[in-house]
Amino acid sequence: MAKKSKKKKFPLAYQPVGWVLGYAGGALAGLAFRKTWMALRHEEDAPDALDPDRGWGEILLAAAIQGAIFAAVRSAVDRTGAKAIARSTGVWPTKEKGGRD
């Protein structure tokens, strides 16, 4: 019975670790997107949705690339953190199986 209560409390203990990993992953994804955009378009800054000098295609392309990079980096960081916690404690950091909503 003690194991179940430990499993229920553990995700709460993982939250600060998850937050730090998420912050670091966001910074890494931002850097990766800037490098990718520079390689694709040879521009320092990606277009913003409110930029009047950019067309729909360019804005949507930048948004799609940015979204794909952020999703991939977020998944990699989350998975790496969960695997590290599971290896060090023997307990998976989430209560149930399944992905994000």
Side-chain angles (χ1 to χ4, degrees):
M1 193 74 168
K3 265 190 169 180
K4 280 190 173 188
S5 65
K6 184 176 183 181
K7 281 187 179 181
K8 287 182 181 178
K9 291 181 181 179
F10 192 74
L12 183 62
Y14 176 71
Q15 286 177 352
V17 173
W19 187 85
V20 170
L21 288 174
Y23 183 80
L28 180 64
L31 179 64
F33 172 67
R34 282 191 294 281
K35 296 285 186 184
T36 302
W37 190 257
M38 179 65 116
L40 290 174
R41 302 289 291 185
H42 306 290
E43 298 175 349
E44 291 284 325
D45 296 325
D48 184 70
L50 300 177
D51 190 346
D53 299 328
R54 306 291 184 113
W56 277 95
E58 192 174 16
I59 290 170
L60 294 179
L61 175 65
I65 292 169
Q66 186 177 29
I69 290 172
F70 270 84
V73 170
R74 181 177 178 183
S75 293
V77 168
D78 285 350
R79 184 67 178 190
T80 301
K83 294 284 272 183
I85 293 294
R87 263 187 259 122
S88 64
T89 65
V91 178
W92 195 256
T94 58
K95 294 178 188 176
E96 66 275 339
K97 292 182 181 179
R100 289 196 171 101
D101 292 336

